[in-house]
């Protein structure tokens, strides 16, 4: 299925949610197009076979097992953070701005909500190469997207950004969704420092992060990510994140925790799907910040 299993599974979760519902926490009509039929089937089968890892007491059909895993393990954070990002974008989105998606993986925002805008996707070279082939196979237009293949832990990504016509004098909107889990605290702080030095005043930043307390669901996903070769490296307290952002010139406009996330992104869906609700993880928070 390729090297970036975590990205594939996240894409699968968005695709499964779209294909198996008529109303959505987050509507992503392109996600399943970025997976081959074989990959979709293999991930489905792998999850079904692993149902008792996630839920030792589960009893039911294979279809029910897959739905349980997606709704309880794979989809909650992936869907809610995408819905949060979409809300933030719609408030601030303008054609003349530039949009940076860090750790872009198989994210589809550049080809839906950001279609035709000036977008930079930043990820490891192997992930970028794989993404380009998938876009070609799916006949998805990507002429408006600049692809930056790099390691974020290194400094080279910023020079590559400028070589691809990034403009420091234009307000930017940066997404770090799903990223800081896999960066050490030092590397995340370094990334914020570089962003502060290279984005215009008034630029925006959105990300999610794991809190110090750890839910059972997050622990399972951490084990799943570790098995895929993606080690989760850091957790934060709310005030720690606020101080970190302030130290790098960003002030928080929104800081969402479990209760608010549940109300904003799951209550309406769960009222319509009371027999199979999707519940967010209690130890994941979302941040929307602005450079002072």
């Amino acid at each position: 299925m390729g090297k970036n299993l975590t990205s594939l599974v996240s894409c699968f979760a968005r695709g499964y949610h779209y294909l198996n519902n008529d109303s959505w926490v987050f509507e992503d009509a392109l996600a399943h197009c970025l997976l081959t039929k074989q990959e979709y089937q293999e991930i489905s089968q792998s999850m079904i076979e692993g149902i008792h890892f996630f839920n030792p007491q589960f009893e039911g059909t294979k279809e029910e097992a897959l739905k349980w895993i997606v709704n309880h393990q794979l989809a909650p954070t992936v869907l809610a953070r995408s819905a949060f990002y979409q809300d933030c974008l719609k408030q601030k989105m303008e054609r003349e701005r530039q949009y940076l998606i860090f750790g872009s993986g198989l994210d589809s925002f550049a080809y839906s909500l950001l279609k035709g805008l000036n977008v930079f996707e930043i990820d490891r070279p192997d992930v970028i190469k794989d993404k380009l082939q998938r876009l070609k196979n799916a006949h998805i237009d990507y002429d408006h997207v600049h692809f930056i293949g790099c390691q974020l832990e290194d400094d080279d990504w910023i020079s590559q950004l400028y070589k691809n016509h990034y403009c420091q004098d234009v307000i930017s909107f940066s997404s770090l969704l799903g990223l800081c889990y896999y960066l050490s605290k030092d590397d995340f702080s370094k990334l914020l420092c570089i962003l502060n030095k290279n984005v215009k005043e008034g630029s925006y930043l959105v990300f999610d992060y794991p809190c110090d307390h750890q839910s059972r669901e997050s622990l399972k996903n951490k084990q799943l990510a570790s098995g895929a070769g993606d080690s989760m490296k850091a957790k934060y307290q709310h005030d720690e994140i606020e101080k970190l952002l302030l130290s790098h010139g960003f002030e928080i406009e929104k800081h969402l925790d479990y209760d608010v996330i549940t109300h904003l992104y799951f209550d309406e869906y769960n009222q319509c799907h009371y027999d199979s609700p999707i519940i967010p993880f209690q130890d994941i928070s979302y941040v929307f910040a602005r450079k002072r």
Side-chain angles (χ1 to χ4, degrees):
M1 287 191 293
K3 295 180 180 180
N4 197 7
L5 184 57
T6 302
S7 180
L8 286 168
V9 171
S10 294
C11 186
F12 169 82
R14 300 194 312 273
Y16 179 94
H17 181 70
Y18 175 77
L19 293 173
N20 290 277
N21 291 284
D22 53 12
S23 62
W24 305 275
V25 173
F26 173 71
E27 181 181 354
D28 189 341
L30 291 178
H32 70 283
C33 301
L34 294 173
L35 300 175
T36 67
K37 290 182 179 179
Q38 181 178 350
E39 286 171 334
Y40 191 93
Q41 292 169 355
E42 287 179 354
I43 294 172
S44 298
Q45 186 61 34
S46 177
M47 293 301 153
I48 291 169
E49 292 174 353
I51 181 61
H52 291 107
F53 167 76
F54 296 106
N55 183 356
Q57 285 77 45
F58 179 83
E59 293 182 3
T61 66
K62 291 182 178 180
E63 291 75 15
E64 290 169 339
L66 181 58
K67 188 172 187 178
W68 190 96
I69 290 174
V70 172
N71 284 1
H72 287 80
Q73 287 293 154
L74 306 184
T77 297
V78 170
L79 297 177
R81 72 189 182 202
S82 297
F84 175 63
Y85 179 48
Q86 180 173 261
D87 284 351
C88 295
L89 274 174
K90 286 182 175 178
Q91 291 177 32
K92 308 294 183 181
M93 188 167 59
E94 294 182 9
R95 180 158 294 277
E96 65 271 16
R97 290 181 176 165
Q98 49 200 355
Y99 298 86
L100 283 63
I101 304 176
F102 291 83
S104 55
L106 296 181
D107 184 281
S108 63
F109 267 104
Y111 319 99
S112 53
L113 192 62
L114 299 176
K115 188 175 182 180
L117 301 181
N118 192 26
V119 181
F120 297 84
E121 290 202 8
I122 305 157
D123 213 321
R124 300 194 314 265
D126 62 308
V127 175
I128 293 295
K129 181 180 179 180
D130 178 65
K131 177 77 167 283
L132 281 167
Q133 188 60 56
R134 291 175 186 276
L135 291 169
K136 291 175 183 177
N137 293 343
H139 305 290
I140 296 173
D141 175 47
Y142 55 87
D143 287 345
H144 63 295
V145 182
H146 308 273
F147 295 94
I148 313 297
C150 62
Q151 296 287 348
L152 283 177
E153 295 87 346
D154 302 330
D155 293 337
D156 184 51
W157 67 267
I158 192 64
S159 62
Q160 290 192 53
L161 202 60
Y162 283 104
K163 288 177 182 177
N164 282 269
H165 309 294
Y166 170 78
C167 181
Q168 191 174 3
D169 295 328
V170 175
I171 287 178
S172 61
F173 196 116
S174 298
S175 165
L176 279 68
L177 293 172
L179 184 63
C180 74
Y181 304 76
Y182 306 106
L183 295 175
S184 69
K185 290 188 176 184
D186 285 344
D187 283 334
F188 185 50
S189 179
K190 179 181 177 182
L191 178 57
L192 292 175
C193 179
I194 295 174
L195 277 174
N196 178 49
K197 292 177 180 178
N198 291 278
V199 300
K200 185 178 180 180
E201 179 182 343
S203 292
Y204 299 97
L205 175 68
V206 61
F207 66 94
D208 56 329
Y209 70 91
C211 304
D212 257 346
H213 60 283
Q214 188 171 61
S215 67
R216 175 187 175 277
E217 292 80 8
S218 288
L219 178 59
K220 291 292 185 181
N221 277 1
K222 182 177 180 180
Q223 293 170 334
L224 190 65
S226 180
D230 293 321
S231 175
M232 295 188 182
K233 298 179 179 180
K235 296 183 291 184
Y236 299 87
Q237 296 180 358
H238 281 204
D239 61 348
E240 183 181 6
I241 282 290
E242 292 172 359
K243 291 176 182 176
L244 179 62
L245 285 169
L246 283 173
S247 72
H248 291 301
F250 291 93
E251 58 185 3
I252 293 177
E253 293 200 353
K254 294 182 181 180
H255 198 169
L256 275 55
D257 60 12
Y258 170 79
D259 290 333
V260 178
I261 292 166
T262 301
H263 173 67
L264 287 177
Y265 302 120
F266 293 96
D267 279 356
E268 184 176 347
Y269 175 87
N270 288 339
Q271 287 172 9
C272 298
H273 302 81
Y274 58 87
D275 58 332
S276 55
I278 303 178
I279 309 298
F281 295 176
Q282 295 190 24
D283 56 348
I284 305 295
S285 294
Y286 305 147
V287 170
F288 181 46
R290 180 176 182 269
K291 181 180 175 181
R292 296 179 295 174

